[in-house]
Amino acid sequence: MSIPKPVKFYSFLFLLSLSFAAANLHAQEVQDTRNSIEFAPQVSLGVFTAQHKLSGTAYGGELIYHMSTTANPRPWMKMLNLKSLDLVFNYKKMSNIVMESDPRPDRFGDSYALIAALNFSLLKGKNTELFVTPGLGMGYLGETWFTNENVLVGSHLNFSSRIALKLATKIGPATRLSAGLDILHFSNGGTRVPNNGMNISSVSLGLIQSLKTKSAADTSSWRKPMDYKKHSIDIGVNIGRRGVYRSKDGLYKTGLYAGYNYRLNSVLGFGAGLDAVYYHTIYDPLRNTETYQSKASSFDRWRVGLAVGPDLWMGRMAMSVKYGYYMHYNSLMNIKTYWTPGLKYNVLDWAAVQAKIYIHETEADFVGFGFIFTP
């Protein structure tokens, strides 16, 4: 398959900027504490999903507001080399994307996403800096199963995640040229199915303009940092909804967690604990359409697993991902393992709000929202 000309052009410019970086990364650092705004047109390198082959090119771009954190950073910001808190608006025109098993045109519509991201510096020189920027937010997809029988997408509203690798090279006193590679993911977390989701990898070239305004992220005015314990116990509860296939109905589940945490320092930790999920509706072969939940289908009310994994703490907020093995799961498909990525924010030193997604292999089960208590 030949590479489209726009992809070749953007790839060439990205490699050219990378060459500039190699020449400048040894130079002395210059700190810029100003906020900035970035505009970056994009073209897709590929659009892909599980179980279905997609072809075509998506065009779009990003508008990003970078709120600098370098003027007065928190200790965790220094440790992780955080440069800015970003608000990202992403647009993709996907009318050219087709599914090879069902090549009818305009199956997906356009996509829009609003994402909050963290912009970490990996390498920095006098004029050039390399960043990695993970982020989470919400997205809107123009077409779904319920509008045109699009078998990949079950809802207009979706969770969006994005990770970008960007290179910024100074070309003026307040202007930088940016070139980047990123992957954008859309999924509703199983709240409405089908939910294969979509992944769009893109290359971008843009401009970053520093603003005269001072950084609004003056961390000296933020809440007092939370004192952490080297050893602690978490007790959590959440509730979530999984969609019924090709229906707007849903099946509810309640998740419980009890685990032990060990903190290596203020940023890095490790956790291990028991996950229990209660099914408000179990699988009934005589009511297959109403009760089928794919890899999450259970003949029993409870499934129980043991999971372990790292935690990344950023002040009062923590990101975690745990890999687990089921000690009890009467599964329709004989599933033995699971994943549980999650976010939590400590409103109090002993209480946090949480969002946690349960995943079997690459398939989302449900997203649970709830609370975690640390006695």
Side-chain angles (χ1 to χ4, degrees), residues 107-109 140-158 188 192 194 248:
R107 302 305 293 161
F108 304 107
Y140 180 90
L141 291 172
E143 301 290 351
T144 75
W145 165 259
F146 300 96
T147 60
N148 66 4
E149 297 188 352
N150 168 3
V151 297
L152 302 184
V153 181
S155 62
H156 288 297
L157 196 62
N158 292 266
N188 65 36
R192 187 169 288 177
K248 295 185 178 181

Side-chain angles (χ1 to χ4, degrees), residues 96-334:
N96 292 332
I97 304 300
V98 296
M99 187 166 57
E100 295 193 0
S101 61
D102 181 13
R104 288 176 289 173
D106 298 322
R107 302 305 293 161
F108 304 107
D110 295 345
S111 73
Y112 308 83
L114 188 63
I115 295 169
L118 300 171
N119 195 25
F120 301 102
S121 176
L122 296 179
L123 293 169
K124 184 176 180 180
K126 181 179 179 180
N127 295 316
T128 304
E129 194 162 7
L130 181 65
F131 301 94
V132 62
T133 310
L136 295 171
M138 299 300 296
Y140 180 90
L141 291 172
E143 301 290 351
T144 75
W145 165 259
F146 300 96
T147 60
N148 66 4
E149 297 188 352
N150 168 3
V151 297
L152 302 184
V153 181
S155 62
H156 288 297
L157 196 62
N158 292 266
F159 300 104
S160 295
S161 58
R162 165 190 173 272
I163 186 165
L165 186 67
K166 285 207 172 183
L167 198 66
T169 299
K170 189 174 182 180
I171 58 175
T175 306
R176 290 177 290 168
L177 177 70
S178 69
L181 296 168
D182 72 82
I183 296 178
L184 178 67
H185 173 71
F186 289 97
S187 170
N188 65 36
T191 56
R192 187 169 288 177
V193 291
N195 179 49
N196 288 70
M198 296 186 69
N199 305 284
I200 308 168
S201 62
S202 301
V203 61
S204 67
L205 181 72
L207 290 174
I208 304 172
Q209 180 66 42
S210 296
L211 304 175
K212 293 181 180 180
T213 56
K214 293 182 180 180
S215 171
D218 182 359
T219 61
S220 63
S221 63
W222 289 16
R223 292 184 62 185
K224 179 183 176 182
M226 184 181 70
D227 295 329
Y228 72 90
K229 301 176 183 178
K230 198 172 187 69
H231 307 276
S232 63
I233 299 295
D234 276 355
I235 299 172
V237 59
N238 63 70
I239 189 166
R241 176 184 184 271
R242 180 184 174 86
V244 175
Y245 190 59
R246 299 184 179 182
S247 167
K248 295 185 178 181
D249 294 333
L251 305 173
Y252 286 89
K253 298 176 187 176
T254 299
L256 302 175
Y257 176 80
Y260 163 76
N261 304 310
Y262 177 78
R263 293 285 289 272
L264 299 172
N265 50 46
S266 62
V267 173
L268 297 175
F270 179 84
L274 288 173
D275 279 301
V277 173
Y278 176 79
Y279 283 72
H280 297 250
T281 302
I282 61 174
Y283 177 66
D284 182 353
L286 299 179
R287 299 169 57 229
N288 181 72
T289 302
E290 304 163 68
T291 62
Y292 177 71
Q293 300 181 50
S294 189
K295 295 175 183 177
S297 299
S298 174
F299 291 102
D300 294 346
R301 291 284 180 184
W302 290 95
R303 70 181 194 226
V304 180
L306 176 64
V308 298
D311 301 313
L312 177 65
W313 283 88
M314 295 164 288
R316 290 179 171 268
M317 184 175 71
M319 294 190 298
S320 66
V321 59
K322 291 181 172 60
Y323 181 71
Y325 182 84
Y326 283 117
M327 296 181 293
H328 171 75
Y329 181 20
N330 192 3
S331 167
L332 174 67
M333 298 187 182
N334 195 31

